[in-house]
């Protein structure tokens, strides 16, 4: 049986409070499923993606899905992330690493954001 | 009666495709309410926030809510955005400009993101 890990991949920021929603998201996912859930960041925060992948592989994951927690698919998701994922695949040939589309492209996520916006103007 | 506009405030990116979810979000909001909905960006894309505020004011808005379409409340939302909003208030003293918390701090938004993540590993 496969152990399938999720890595929530965010941009990173200097302010540590920036990561709070990512930690809350990881906690929600840990509560909703059995497999491991980690965070990884492109820059300014740790761990980076290779470190997070190596840790999940060491913990016994044979499949990892990287979910970019970005609104848009810009250069970070279209160019930087695939390069790092390729390095992770080369370093962990026994782990199947797949990459999701950025969460902000999902219609249900956008619906939730739209409802949040509407609540801000109806108060 | 007040005309209340919404400005979706995003980071901006070099890749024009990055803005697609923001445009879809604006279209959803325009379909859901009567008031105007605009986009504005911190950098790399136009318009900037002062330009978007001036346009809504010229269109007759006397109240504007700026919603930061960011996951985390880092330096851009905690430091850069309030500075720009202050300038917008000074330039448009007759418009009541309020600022929402970043959308990624909202629990229902995080729930939708978590459900998206779960769908990625159950396929």
């Amino acid at each position: 049986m496969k152990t399938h890990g999720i890595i929530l991949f965010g941009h990173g920021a200097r302010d540590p409070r920036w990561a709070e929603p990512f930690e809350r998201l990881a906690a929600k996912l840990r509560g909703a499923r059995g497999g491991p859930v980690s965070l990884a960041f492109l820059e300014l925060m740790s761990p980076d993606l290779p470190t997070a992948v190596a840790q999940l592989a060491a913990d016994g994951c044979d499949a990892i899905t990287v979910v970019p927690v970005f609104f848009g698919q810009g250069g970070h998701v279209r160019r930087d992330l695939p390069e790092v994922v390729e390095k992770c695949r080369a370093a962990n040939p026994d782990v199947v690493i797949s990459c999701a589309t950025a969460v902000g492209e999902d219609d249900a996520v956008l619906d939730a954001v739209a409802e949040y916006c509407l609540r801000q103007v109806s108060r």
Side-chain angles (χ1 to χ4, degrees), chain A residues 82-118:
Chain A
E83 279 179 19
V84 186
V85 167
E86 272 314 306
K87 285 179 193 165
C88 293
R89 286 181 179 135
N92 303 273
D94 297 334
V95 182
V96 177
I97 305 174
S98 55
C99 223
T101 306
V103 304
E105 300 277 336
D106 181 62
D107 210 52
V109 169
L110 286 184
D111 280 341
V113 175
E115 281 159 25
Y116 173 75
C117 293
L118 292 174

Side-chain angles (χ1 to χ4, degrees), chain A residues 4-99:
Chain A
H4 196 149
I6 295 178
I7 296 178
L8 302 169
F9 179 72
H11 186 280
R14 282 180 187 81
D15 190 327
R17 295 172 294 185
W18 184 85
E20 285 168 14
F22 293 81
E23 286 156 7
R24 284 170 56 201
L25 179 58
K28 279 178 189 290
L29 286 166
R30 289 185 192 116
R33 69 189 297 268
V37 180
S38 302
L39 303 184
F41 300 98
L42 179 66
E43 59 188 45
L44 301 170
M45 284 179 163
S46 62
D48 61 10
L49 190 60
T51 304
V53 167
Q55 184 62 54
L56 285 187
D59 291 347
C61 283
D62 40 19
I64 295 173
T65 296
V66 180
V67 182
V69 185
F70 284 72
F71 280 105
Q73 299 247 127
H76 290 322
V77 176
R78 291 184 196 268
R79 188 190 59 237
D80 301 336
L81 177 56
E83 279 179 19
V84 186
V85 167
E86 272 314 306
K87 285 179 193 165
C88 293
R89 286 181 179 135
N92 303 273
D94 297 334
V95 182
V96 177
I97 305 174
S98 55
C99 223

